[in-house]
Amino acid sequence: MAEQKQGLVVAKLMPQQNPVEQLQARFKELEVGFKTWLSKQSLPVEAAVVTATSALQGAAIGGIMGTITNDLSPSFSPPPQANLNPQAMASLQQAQALSGGPLVQARNFAVMTGVNAGIACVMKRLRGKEDVQSSMVAAFGSGAMFSLVSGLGGPNQVTNAVTSGLFFALVQGGLFKFGQKFSQPPVEDTHYLRTRSMLTNLGLQNYEKNFKKGLLTDSTLPLLTDSALRDVKIPPGPRLLILDHIQRDPGLKGARKK
């Protein structure tokens, strides 16, 4: 009886987990398990599964977009017995392709995302890496298929499919390079490791750019003078702190004597 009461007290004292956090953790576990299982499958199986799951996601997005733009569809319908020239009809078909109902847009986006993910999966397995070339090939395939399925290409489907594929490839390549540029961590300048540490300890890290502008590297720390720091526009107070730190640092002080 005492043990049961003690267990109840402990249970009350333990913090209750957030149901949303529990759901997120469970979803993360399922996602990791699914990716682990998928990585062990053969190339055809992995490509088929990735294509199918991506197509379902694209269909959901397309259905939502089609619901939003469904009210615009009647405005792009030609009047009865209208005699339109081929260019006007092609433009009208392109507008209809982008403003179709939920089912139409679900189909279009399912094809586009599914083909893109499937080709990217195959390219990654074959080449052993995910780079801009693989991304552009996948985008070309998805753009061409989107053009054919949606009717975006107009009368000359083959030519317009190639044009749409090239456009998708160029856009995807640019986005890949843009994301790659900003996702990479900045390269650390090894010439300012001790300088950066010193300034951080003194709370003067904002003046690192002044050191770099004056080419005052780690090797020049023992030689620093008030005039040198003044030349790189460091205020008097920070100059005093920097010089005092150098004077007190045994390593820098020894290097200055030498």
Side-chain angles (χ1 to χ4, degrees), residues 43-116:
L43 177 58
V45 174
E46 182 182 7
V49 173
V50 170
T51 301
T53 53
S54 299
L56 289 175
Q57 295 176 0
I61 296 174
I64 296 174
M65 292 186 62
T67 303
I68 296 174
T69 61
N70 194 29
D71 296 336
L72 300 177
S73 298
S75 61
F76 294 111
S77 300
Q81 298 179 352
N83 187 15
L84 300 178
N85 59 56
Q87 292 183 349
M89 183 59 68
S91 300
L92 184 62
Q93 289 177 349
Q94 292 178 359
Q96 288 176 338
L98 296 175
S99 62
L103 293 179
V104 174
Q105 293 299 330
R107 178 202 63 191
N108 295 346
F109 277 82
V111 171
M112 181 175 63
T113 57
V115 171
N116 188 296

Side-chain angles (χ1 to χ4, degrees), residues 106-176:
R107 178 202 63 191
N108 295 346
F109 277 82
V111 171
M112 181 175 63
T113 57
V115 171
N116 188 296
I119 295 177
C121 174
V122 173
M123 293 292 292
K124 184 177 180 180
R125 284 286 292 265
L126 293 178
R127 304 181 74 238
K129 59 181 179 179
E130 185 177 0
D131 53 10
V132 65
Q133 288 83 1
S134 300
S135 179
M136 292 181 68
V137 170
F140 177 86
S142 64
M145 289 302 299
F146 178 79
S147 176
L148 293 174
V149 172
S150 65
L152 184 64
N156 195 344
Q157 293 186 352
V158 176
T159 302
N160 286 282
V162 174
T163 304
S164 298
L166 291 174
F167 175 76
F168 274 58
L170 291 175
V171 172
Q172 184 69 18
L175 292 175
F176 187 93

Side-chain angles (χ1 to χ4, degrees), residues 3-22:
E3 293 180 355
Q4 292 181 353
K5 290 183 178 180
Q6 185 178 3
L8 292 174
V9 172
V10 172
K12 290 181 179 180
L13 292 177
M14 292 179 60
Q16 297 293 329
Q17 293 185 346
N18 191 337
V20 177
E21 294 180 355
Q22 291 180 345

Side-chain angles (χ1 to χ4, degrees), residues 129-258:
K129 59 181 179 179
E130 185 177 0
D131 53 10
V132 65
Q133 288 83 1
S134 300
S135 179
M136 292 181 68
V137 170
F140 177 86
S142 64
M145 289 302 299
F146 178 79
S147 176
L148 293 174
V149 172
S150 65
L152 184 64
N156 195 344
Q157 293 186 352
V158 176
T159 302
N160 286 282
V162 174
T163 304
S164 298
L166 291 174
F167 175 76
F168 274 58
L170 291 175
V171 172
Q172 184 69 18
L175 292 175
F176 187 93
K177 283 293 187 181
F178 183 81
Q180 191 178 45
K181 179 180 179 181
F182 286 92
S183 62
Q184 293 179 346
V187 179
E188 188 175 19
D189 194 341
T190 57
H191 296 290
Y192 293 92
L193 296 178
R194 297 188 68 179
T195 302
R196 188 177 301 111
S197 176
M198 177 189 68
L199 294 176
T200 301
N201 292 333
L202 296 175
L204 304 174
Q205 54 268 27
N206 292 334
Y207 293 106
E208 182 180 347
K209 60 182 182 295
N210 300 67
F211 275 77
K212 292 183 177 180
K213 186 176 181 180
L215 300 180
L216 302 177
T217 62
D218 289 348
S219 60
T220 66
L221 286 180
L223 307 175
L224 285 181
T225 61
D226 185 78
S227 60
L229 295 175
R230 185 172 60 249
D231 289 341
V232 294
K233 298 181 180 179
I234 296 180
R239 293 203 304 266
L240 292 174
L241 292 175
I242 293 170
L243 292 174
D244 180 69
H245 177 83
I246 294 174
Q247 184 66 26
R248 293 173 180 273
D249 192 318
L252 295 177
K253 187 176 180 181
R256 174 177 292 208
K257 288 181 179 180
K258 294 179 181 179

